[in-house]
Amino acid sequence: MTSENTPVSELGLHELTTWLRRCTELIDENAPHLTDLDAAIGDADHGANMQRGFDAVAGILDGEYEDVQALMKKVGMTLVSSVGGASGPLYGTFFLRFATSAKGADALDLHALFAALQAGVHGIEERGKSMIGQKTMLDAWVPALDAYQRAGETLQGAVLAGAAGAQEGRDATGPMEATKGRASYLGERSVGHIDPGAASTALLWEALADVVRPGGPTPDGEADADGEAAS
Amino acid sequence: MTGIVVVSHSRQLAEAAVDLARQMVRDGGPRIEIAAGVQDPETDQPGLGTDAAAISAAIEEADDGQGVVVLMDLGSAILSARTALEFTEPDIVERTRLSWAPLVEGLVGAVVTAASGADPAEVAAQAEVASEAKHQQLAD
Protein backbone atom coordinates (compact mmCIF):
# COMPACT_ATOMS: atom_id res chain seq x y z
CA MET A 1 0.00 0.00 0.00
CA THR A 2 1.17 3.50 -0.78
CA SER A 3 1.78 5.73 2.19
CA GLU A 4 3.36 9.14 2.60
CA ASN A 5 6.74 7.90 3.73
CA THR A 6 7.21 4.29 2.75
CA PRO A 7 8.35 3.90 -0.84
CA VAL A 8 6.41 1.33 -2.81
CA SER A 9 8.62 -1.71 -3.31
CA GLU A 10 6.17 -3.87 -5.20
CA LEU A 11 2.94 -3.54 -7.13
CA GLY A 12 0.10 -5.75 -5.99
CA LEU A 13 -3.48 -5.83 -7.21
CA HIS A 14 -4.26 -2.65 -5.28
CA GLU A 15 -1.40 -0.65 -6.83
CA LEU A 16 -2.03 -2.00 -10.32
CA THR A 17 -5.70 -1.11 -10.06
CA THR A 18 -4.70 2.37 -8.89
CA TRP A 19 -2.40 2.63 -11.92
CA LEU A 20 -5.18 1.69 -14.33
CA ARG A 21 -7.63 4.14 -12.73
CA ARG A 22 -5.02 6.88 -13.01
CA CYS A 23 -4.48 5.88 -16.68
CA THR A 24 -8.20 6.37 -17.27
CA GLU A 25 -8.11 9.83 -15.64
CA LEU A 26 -5.09 10.99 -17.62
CA ILE A 27 -6.49 9.63 -20.89
CA ASP A 28 -9.79 11.40 -20.21
CA GLU A 29 -8.02 14.69 -19.48
CA ASN A 30 -5.75 14.39 -22.50
CA ALA A 31 -8.17 12.88 -25.03
CA PRO A 32 -8.61 16.14 -26.99
CA HIS A 33 -4.84 16.57 -27.10
CA LEU A 34 -4.31 13.00 -28.34
CA THR A 35 -6.95 13.52 -31.01
CA ASP A 36 -5.29 16.78 -32.10
CA LEU A 37 -1.98 14.96 -32.49
CA ASP A 38 -3.74 12.24 -34.49
CA ALA A 39 -5.54 14.83 -36.62
CA ALA A 40 -2.14 16.04 -37.80
CA ILE A 41 -0.82 12.68 -38.99
CA GLY A 42 -3.60 10.11 -38.71
CA ASP A 43 -7.35 9.72 -38.71
CA ALA A 44 -8.09 11.92 -35.67
CA ASP A 45 -9.57 9.22 -33.48
CA HIS A 46 -6.78 8.29 -31.05
CA GLY A 47 -8.17 10.32 -28.14
CA ALA A 48 -11.72 9.03 -28.56
CA ASN A 49 -10.52 5.45 -29.11
CA MET A 50 -8.29 5.45 -26.02
CA GLN A 51 -11.03 7.03 -23.97
CA ARG A 52 -13.51 4.35 -25.02
CA GLY A 53 -10.96 1.64 -24.22
CA PHE A 54 -9.90 2.93 -20.82
CA ASP A 55 -13.45 3.79 -19.79
CA ALA A 56 -14.21 0.12 -20.45
CA VAL A 57 -11.15 -0.85 -18.39
CA ALA A 58 -12.36 1.35 -15.51
CA GLY A 59 -15.58 -0.65 -15.62
CA ILE A 60 -13.87 -3.97 -14.90
CA LEU A 61 -11.57 -2.83 -12.07
CA ASP A 62 -14.08 -3.42 -9.29
CA GLY A 63 -14.20 -7.12 -10.11
CA GLU A 64 -12.49 -9.79 -8.01
CA TYR A 65 -9.17 -11.00 -9.41
CA GLU A 66 -7.25 -13.97 -8.18
CA ASP A 67 -3.84 -12.58 -9.07
CA VAL A 68 -1.96 -10.09 -11.25
CA GLN A 69 -2.27 -12.31 -14.30
CA ALA A 70 -6.05 -12.50 -14.07
CA LEU A 71 -6.43 -8.74 -13.73
CA MET A 72 -4.05 -7.85 -16.55
CA LYS A 73 -5.52 -10.46 -18.90
CA LYS A 74 -8.95 -8.95 -18.37
CA VAL A 75 -7.52 -5.48 -19.06
CA GLY A 76 -5.94 -6.72 -22.31
CA MET A 77 -9.12 -8.39 -23.53
CA THR A 78 -11.14 -5.31 -22.64
CA LEU A 79 -8.86 -3.02 -24.65
CA VAL A 80 -8.75 -5.40 -27.59
CA SER A 81 -12.53 -5.36 -27.86
CA SER A 82 -13.28 -1.72 -27.14
CA VAL A 83 -10.62 0.60 -28.57
CA GLY A 84 -11.47 0.07 -32.24
CA GLY A 85 -8.28 1.43 -33.84
CA ALA A 86 -4.75 0.05 -34.09
CA SER A 87 -4.10 0.92 -30.44
CA GLY A 88 -6.61 -1.78 -29.43
CA PRO A 89 -4.61 -4.77 -30.60
CA LEU A 90 -1.32 -3.04 -29.68
CA TYR A 91 -2.15 -2.02 -26.10
CA GLY A 92 -4.31 -5.14 -25.75
CA THR A 93 -1.37 -7.36 -26.70
CA PHE A 94 0.83 -5.38 -24.28
CA PHE A 95 -1.43 -6.20 -21.33
CA LEU A 96 -2.03 -9.81 -22.41
CA ARG A 97 1.73 -10.46 -22.58
CA PHE A 98 2.26 -8.52 -19.33
CA ALA A 99 -0.30 -10.89 -17.80
CA THR A 100 1.47 -14.01 -19.05
CA SER A 101 4.79 -12.77 -17.67
CA ALA A 102 3.20 -12.17 -14.26
CA LYS A 103 1.77 -15.71 -14.11
CA GLY A 104 0.99 -16.77 -10.54
CA ALA A 105 2.28 -13.52 -9.00
CA ASP A 106 0.43 -11.67 -6.24
CA ALA A 107 2.72 -8.66 -6.62
CA LEU A 108 5.53 -7.46 -8.89
CA ASP A 109 8.84 -6.22 -7.52
CA LEU A 110 11.49 -4.21 -9.41
CA HIS A 111 12.61 -7.20 -11.50
CA ALA A 112 9.24 -8.83 -12.06
CA LEU A 113 7.76 -5.53 -13.20
CA PHE A 114 10.60 -5.06 -15.67
CA ALA A 115 10.08 -8.58 -17.02
CA ALA A 116 6.35 -7.95 -17.43
CA LEU A 117 6.83 -4.57 -19.12
CA GLN A 118 9.45 -6.05 -21.41
CA ALA A 119 7.19 -8.97 -22.37
CA GLY A 120 4.46 -6.46 -23.14
CA VAL A 121 6.72 -4.33 -25.30
CA HIS A 122 7.91 -7.41 -27.20
CA GLY A 123 4.25 -8.11 -27.84
CA ILE A 124 3.79 -4.63 -29.33
CA GLU A 125 6.85 -5.11 -31.55
CA GLU A 126 5.59 -8.46 -32.74
CA ARG A 127 2.01 -7.35 -33.33
CA GLY A 128 2.94 -4.12 -35.13
CA LYS A 129 5.96 -5.67 -36.90
CA SER A 130 7.76 -2.48 -36.05
CA MET A 131 10.83 -1.26 -34.22
CA ILE A 132 12.22 1.87 -32.63
CA GLY A 133 12.71 4.87 -34.95
CA GLN A 134 9.52 4.41 -36.99
CA LYS A 135 7.54 7.09 -35.14
CA THR A 136 5.26 4.79 -33.18
CA MET A 137 4.40 4.12 -29.54
CA LEU A 138 7.57 1.98 -29.39
CA ASP A 139 9.59 5.17 -29.51
CA ALA A 140 8.23 5.94 -26.04
CA TRP A 141 8.16 2.35 -24.72
CA VAL A 142 11.75 1.42 -25.57
CA PRO A 143 13.49 4.48 -24.03
CA ALA A 144 11.24 4.07 -20.98
CA LEU A 145 12.36 0.47 -20.50
CA ASP A 146 16.01 1.43 -21.04
CA ALA A 147 15.77 4.21 -18.47
CA TYR A 148 13.99 1.88 -16.01
CA GLN A 149 16.71 -0.72 -16.38
CA ARG A 150 19.54 1.81 -16.03
CA ALA A 151 18.01 3.34 -12.90
CA GLY A 152 17.79 -0.09 -11.25
CA GLU A 153 17.96 -0.36 -7.43
CA THR A 154 14.50 0.72 -6.27
CA LEU A 155 11.11 0.26 -7.87
CA GLN A 156 10.27 3.88 -7.27
CA GLY A 157 13.49 5.20 -8.81
CA ALA A 158 13.17 2.89 -11.80
CA VAL A 159 9.56 3.79 -12.52
CA LEU A 160 10.22 7.53 -12.23
CA ALA A 161 13.19 7.17 -14.58
CA GLY A 162 11.05 5.12 -16.94
CA ALA A 163 8.38 7.82 -17.00
CA ALA A 164 11.00 10.46 -17.81
CA GLY A 165 12.38 8.17 -20.55
CA ALA A 166 8.90 7.79 -22.03
CA GLN A 167 8.48 11.59 -22.18
CA GLU A 168 11.84 12.05 -23.85
CA GLY A 169 11.02 9.29 -26.30
CA ARG A 170 7.63 10.84 -27.03
CA ASP A 171 9.21 14.23 -27.72
CA ALA A 172 11.84 12.65 -29.94
CA THR A 173 9.13 11.35 -32.31
CA GLY A 174 8.57 14.94 -33.53
CA PRO A 175 11.38 15.07 -36.09
CA MET A 176 10.92 11.46 -37.22
CA GLU A 177 9.36 10.41 -40.51
CA ALA A 178 6.67 7.77 -40.10
CA THR A 179 7.07 4.47 -41.92
CA LYS A 180 4.34 2.53 -40.09
CA GLY A 181 0.62 2.95 -39.71
CA ARG A 182 -1.66 5.59 -41.16
CA ALA A 183 0.98 8.33 -40.74
CA SER A 184 3.25 6.52 -43.21
CA TYR A 185 0.92 7.61 -46.03
CA LEU A 186 2.07 11.15 -45.28
CA GLY A 187 5.79 10.36 -45.56
CA GLU A 188 7.78 13.57 -45.07
CA ARG A 189 4.68 15.49 -44.08
CA SER A 190 4.60 13.45 -40.86
CA VAL A 191 7.78 15.24 -39.73
CA GLY A 192 7.26 17.89 -37.06
CA HIS A 193 4.38 16.20 -35.26
CA ILE A 194 4.51 14.14 -32.07
CA ASP A 195 3.24 10.58 -32.56
CA PRO A 196 -0.12 10.14 -30.78
CA GLY A 197 0.69 6.56 -29.71
CA ALA A 198 3.96 7.69 -28.14
CA ALA A 199 1.99 10.44 -26.37
CA SER A 200 -0.54 7.98 -24.91
CA THR A 201 2.29 5.65 -23.87
CA ALA A 202 3.90 8.54 -21.97
CA LEU A 203 0.56 9.03 -20.17
CA LEU A 204 0.52 5.37 -19.08
CA TRP A 205 4.00 5.86 -17.65
CA GLU A 206 3.01 9.11 -15.99
CA ALA A 207 0.14 7.25 -14.34
CA LEU A 208 2.54 4.53 -13.14
CA ALA A 209 4.89 7.18 -11.75
CA ASP A 210 1.96 8.67 -9.83
CA VAL A 211 1.37 5.31 -8.15
CA VAL A 212 4.93 4.98 -6.83
CA ARG A 213 5.56 8.65 -6.07
CA PRO A 214 5.21 9.35 -2.34
CA GLY A 215 2.11 11.41 -1.71
CA GLY A 216 0.71 10.78 -5.20
CA PRO A 217 0.61 13.14 -8.15
CA THR A 218 2.60 16.36 -7.95
CA PRO A 219 1.38 19.29 -10.03
CA ASP A 220 4.81 20.71 -10.86
CA GLY A 221 8.49 19.89 -11.08
CA GLU A 222 10.01 16.99 -12.97
CA ALA A 223 6.95 14.87 -12.33
CA ASP A 224 5.02 16.86 -14.91
CA ALA A 225 4.77 14.42 -17.77
CA ASP A 226 1.90 16.22 -19.45
CA GLY A 227 1.79 16.08 -23.22
CA GLU A 228 1.61 19.90 -23.39
CA ALA A 229 5.31 20.07 -22.62
CA ALA A 230 5.94 18.80 -26.13
CA SER A 231 4.43 21.74 -27.95
CA MET B 1 -17.52 -25.70 -46.88
CA THR B 2 -14.73 -23.23 -46.11
CA GLY B 3 -16.22 -20.45 -43.98
CA ILE B 4 -15.59 -16.78 -44.67
CA VAL B 5 -15.14 -13.94 -42.17
CA VAL B 6 -15.36 -10.32 -43.25
CA VAL B 7 -13.48 -7.85 -41.05
CA SER B 8 -14.08 -4.18 -41.66
CA HIS B 9 -14.00 -0.88 -39.78
CA SER B 10 -17.54 -0.30 -40.99
CA ARG B 11 -20.52 -2.57 -40.35
CA GLN B 12 -22.35 -1.09 -43.34
CA LEU B 13 -19.40 -1.60 -45.65
CA ALA B 14 -19.12 -5.24 -44.59
CA GLU B 15 -22.84 -5.93 -44.97
CA ALA B 16 -22.94 -4.33 -48.40
CA ALA B 17 -19.88 -6.28 -49.56
CA VAL B 18 -21.47 -9.51 -48.35
CA ASP B 19 -24.73 -8.71 -50.17
CA LEU B 20 -22.79 -8.11 -53.35
CA ALA B 21 -20.82 -11.34 -53.07
CA ARG B 22 -23.89 -13.44 -52.20
CA GLN B 23 -25.44 -12.53 -55.54
CA MET B 24 -22.93 -14.93 -57.07
CA VAL B 25 -24.19 -17.91 -55.09
CA ARG B 26 -27.93 -17.42 -54.82
CA ASP B 27 -28.59 -20.96 -53.72
CA GLY B 28 -26.36 -22.07 -50.90
CA GLY B 29 -22.82 -20.80 -50.69
CA PRO B 30 -20.48 -20.75 -47.73
CA ARG B 31 -21.14 -19.49 -44.25
CA ILE B 32 -20.16 -15.82 -44.04
CA GLU B 33 -19.69 -14.08 -40.70
CA ILE B 34 -19.15 -10.36 -40.22
CA ALA B 35 -16.93 -8.78 -37.53
CA ALA B 36 -17.09 -5.06 -38.21
CA GLY B 37 -17.34 -1.79 -36.34
CA VAL B 38 -17.35 -1.13 -32.61
CA GLN B 39 -20.24 -0.21 -30.36
CA ASP B 40 -20.15 3.28 -28.89
CA PRO B 41 -21.03 2.67 -25.20
CA GLU B 42 -22.61 6.12 -24.84
CA THR B 43 -24.86 6.22 -27.87
CA ASP B 44 -25.02 2.44 -28.38
CA GLN B 45 -24.59 3.21 -32.07
CA PRO B 46 -22.21 1.29 -34.29
CA GLY B 47 -18.99 3.25 -34.86
CA LEU B 48 -15.92 2.74 -37.02
CA GLY B 49 -13.37 0.27 -35.70
CA THR B 50 -12.37 -3.35 -35.34
CA ASP B 51 -12.63 -5.73 -32.40
CA ALA B 52 -10.27 -8.69 -32.10
CA ALA B 53 -12.52 -10.57 -29.68
CA ALA B 54 -15.43 -10.29 -32.11
CA ILE B 55 -13.21 -11.48 -34.97
CA SER B 56 -12.17 -14.51 -32.95
CA ALA B 57 -15.82 -15.34 -32.22
CA ALA B 58 -16.71 -14.91 -35.91
CA ILE B 59 -13.92 -17.28 -36.98
CA GLU B 60 -15.13 -19.96 -34.55
CA GLU B 61 -18.68 -19.40 -35.75
CA ALA B 62 -17.76 -19.68 -39.45
CA ASP B 63 -15.76 -22.90 -39.07
CA ASP B 64 -17.57 -26.14 -39.85
CA GLY B 65 -14.40 -28.19 -39.64
CA GLN B 66 -13.00 -27.39 -43.06
CA GLY B 67 -11.47 -24.05 -42.10
CA VAL B 68 -11.93 -20.33 -42.56
CA VAL B 69 -10.66 -17.54 -44.78
CA VAL B 70 -10.60 -14.04 -43.28
CA LEU B 71 -10.84 -10.99 -45.52
CA MET B 72 -10.05 -7.58 -44.05
CA ASP B 73 -10.12 -3.95 -45.04
CA LEU B 74 -7.08 -1.96 -43.93
CA GLY B 75 -4.74 -1.02 -41.10
CA SER B 76 -6.01 -2.02 -37.68
CA ALA B 77 -8.30 -4.61 -39.26
CA ILE B 78 -5.15 -6.57 -40.00
CA LEU B 79 -3.69 -6.03 -36.51
CA SER B 80 -7.00 -7.05 -34.96
CA ALA B 81 -7.31 -10.17 -37.13
CA ARG B 82 -3.81 -11.26 -36.14
CA THR B 83 -4.56 -10.54 -32.48
CA ALA B 84 -7.78 -12.57 -32.78
CA LEU B 85 -5.74 -15.67 -33.65
CA GLU B 86 -4.07 -15.43 -30.19
CA PHE B 87 -7.31 -16.37 -28.50
CA THR B 88 -8.98 -18.56 -31.06
CA GLU B 89 -9.11 -22.35 -30.62
CA PRO B 90 -5.65 -23.58 -31.85
CA ASP B 91 -7.20 -26.30 -34.07
CA ILE B 92 -9.27 -23.69 -35.85
CA VAL B 93 -6.31 -21.31 -36.16
CA GLU B 94 -4.44 -24.04 -37.97
CA ARG B 95 -7.08 -24.17 -40.68
CA THR B 96 -7.61 -20.41 -40.86
CA ARG B 97 -6.05 -18.20 -43.54
CA LEU B 98 -5.81 -14.41 -43.37
CA SER B 99 -5.97 -13.22 -46.97
CA TRP B 100 -4.31 -10.08 -48.32
CA ALA B 101 -6.91 -9.82 -51.06
CA PRO B 102 -8.69 -6.48 -51.54
CA LEU B 103 -11.98 -6.72 -49.67
CA VAL B 104 -14.65 -6.48 -52.39
CA GLU B 105 -12.96 -8.33 -55.24
CA GLY B 106 -11.42 -10.81 -52.83
CA LEU B 107 -14.73 -11.56 -51.15
CA VAL B 108 -16.46 -12.31 -54.45
CA GLY B 109 -13.60 -14.62 -55.48
CA ALA B 110 -13.56 -16.30 -52.08
CA VAL B 111 -17.31 -16.89 -51.87
CA VAL B 112 -17.49 -18.44 -55.35
CA THR B 113 -14.46 -20.64 -54.70
CA ALA B 114 -15.68 -21.73 -51.28
CA ALA B 115 -19.05 -22.65 -52.79
CA SER B 116 -17.25 -25.17 -55.01
CA GLY B 117 -16.01 -26.98 -51.89
CA ALA B 118 -12.41 -25.78 -52.07
CA ASP B 119 -10.18 -25.80 -48.98
CA PRO B 120 -9.04 -22.58 -47.23
CA ALA B 121 -5.69 -22.44 -49.06
CA GLU B 122 -7.43 -22.55 -52.44
CA VAL B 123 -10.14 -20.10 -51.37
CA ALA B 124 -7.49 -17.63 -50.15
CA ALA B 125 -5.48 -18.09 -53.36
CA GLN B 126 -8.52 -17.41 -55.55
CA ALA B 127 -9.43 -14.36 -53.46
CA GLU B 128 -5.95 -13.02 -54.00
CA VAL B 129 -6.06 -13.30 -57.81
CA ALA B 130 -9.59 -11.90 -57.97
CA SER B 131 -8.45 -8.35 -58.64
CA GLU B 132 -6.59 -9.65 -61.70
CA ALA B 133 -9.94 -9.83 -63.52
CA LYS B 134 -10.36 -6.10 -62.98
CA HIS B 135 -6.84 -5.48 -64.21
CA GLN B 136 -7.58 -7.48 -67.39
CA GLN B 137 -10.86 -5.70 -67.95
CA LEU B 138 -9.21 -2.28 -67.88
CA ALA B 139 -6.35 -3.49 -70.07
CA ASP B 140 -8.77 -4.67 -72.80
Side-chain angles (χ1 to χ4, degrees):
Chain A
M1 299 282 282
T2 312
S3 80
E4 290 288 327
N5 301 314
T6 322
V8 176
S9 63
E10 56 177 29
L11 304 180
L13 282 172
H14 173 79
E15 288 79 13
L16 291 169
T17 306
T18 306
W19 172 35
L20 293 160
R21 284 192 209 287
R22 185 72 186 132
C23 287
T24 302
E25 285 173 9
L26 287 178
I27 298 278
D28 274 343
E29 283 166 26
N30 289 279
H33 178 60
L34 293 175
T35 289
D36 285 349
L37 293 176
D38 199 28
I41 59 170
D43 46 3
D45 62 4
H46 191 56
N49 284 348
M50 290 295 284
Q51 210 168 8
R52 189 169 51 224
F54 275 87
D55 282 353
V57 167
I60 58 106
L61 294 178
D62 289 329
E64 291 284 319
Y65 297 95
E66 199 181 324
D67 54 20
V68 173
Q69 182 183 19
L71 170 67
M72 295 316 232
K73 187 175 175 201
K74 183 73 180 171
V75 171
M77 287 304 289
T78 302
L79 289 174
V80 142
S81 62
S82 61
V83 172
S87 312
L90 293 170
Y91 281 122
T93 301
F94 171 84
F95 284 103
L96 291 171
R97 300 288 171 88
F98 185 110
T100 309
S101 169
K103 194 171 182 176
D106 293 322
L108 305 175
D109 63 8
L110 173 74
H111 301 291
L113 178 61
F114 182 75
L117 292 166
Q118 194 176 41
V121 172
H122 284 158
I124 295 171
E125 286 170 336
E126 210 180 289
R127 178 69 55 233
K129 310 249 184 248
S130 60
M131 51 193 221
I132 190 161
Q134 295 180 316
K135 200 179 180 93
T136 71
M137 61 170 70
L138 282 175
D139 290 302
W141 280 115
V142 173
L145 276 188
D146 288 349
Y148 181 107
Q149 197 173 27
R150 272 200 311 275
E153 307 221 354
T154 68
L155 180 79
Q156 185 179 306
V159 168
L160 293 177
Q167 282 181 65
E168 284 168 26
R170 171 199 66 200
D171 295 347
T173 63
M176 292 179 186
E177 183 175 330
T179 56
K180 282 278 167 186
R182 197 76 69 103
S184 65
Y185 292 107
L186 294 172
E188 281 178 18
R189 280 173 294 153
S190 66
V191 173
H193 302 282
I194 296 288
D195 178 68
S200 56
T201 295
L203 292 174
L204 264 56
W205 274 95
E206 183 183 345
L208 190 58
D210 285 345
V211 174
V212 302
R213 190 177 287 127
T218 52
D220 50 20
E222 65 168 90
D224 180 21
D226 195 285
E228 304 303 325
S231 54
Chain B
M1 231 178 258
T2 297
I4 311 257
V5 170
V6 177
V7 177
S8 171
H9 283 67
S10 158
R11 182 97 212 161
Q12 289 158 299
L13 175 62
E15 281 173 359
V18 169
D19 278 349
L20 187 61
R22 273 206 202 282
Q23 287 193 316
M24 306 291 289
V25 285
R26 285 175 189 277
D27 306 312
R31 177 144 198 179
I32 308 175
E33 293 292 326
I34 290 175
V38 286
Q39 210 71 9
D40 189 314
E42 279 174 23
T43 62
D44 220 27
Q45 295 295 308
L48 296 178
T50 57
D51 171 347
I55 298 168
S56 173
I59 292 171
E60 293 186 356
E61 204 55 31
D63 179 61
D64 69 357
Q66 190 170 351
V68 177
V69 171
V70 183
L71 290 138
M72 297 145 275
D73 60 14
L74 63 167
S76 61
I78 300 160
L79 290 180
S80 288
R82 282 205 166 121
T83 307
L85 298 182
E86 282 205 23
F87 32 79
T88 303
E89 192 75 32
D91 286 2
I92 301 178
V93 171
E94 209 147 287
R95 48 181 189 261
T96 297
R97 298 279 176 281
L98 306 186
S99 167
W100 54 261
L103 184 59
V104 175
E105 289 85 349
L107 183 60
V108 173
V111 166
V112 171
T113 310
S116 74
D119 65 15
E122 179 60 15
V123 170
Q126 290 303 315
E128 285 155 12
V129 298
S131 58
E132 185 55 27
K134 192 190 211 171
H135 185 196
Q136 284 296 331
Q137 205 176 345
L138 280 171
D140 282 345

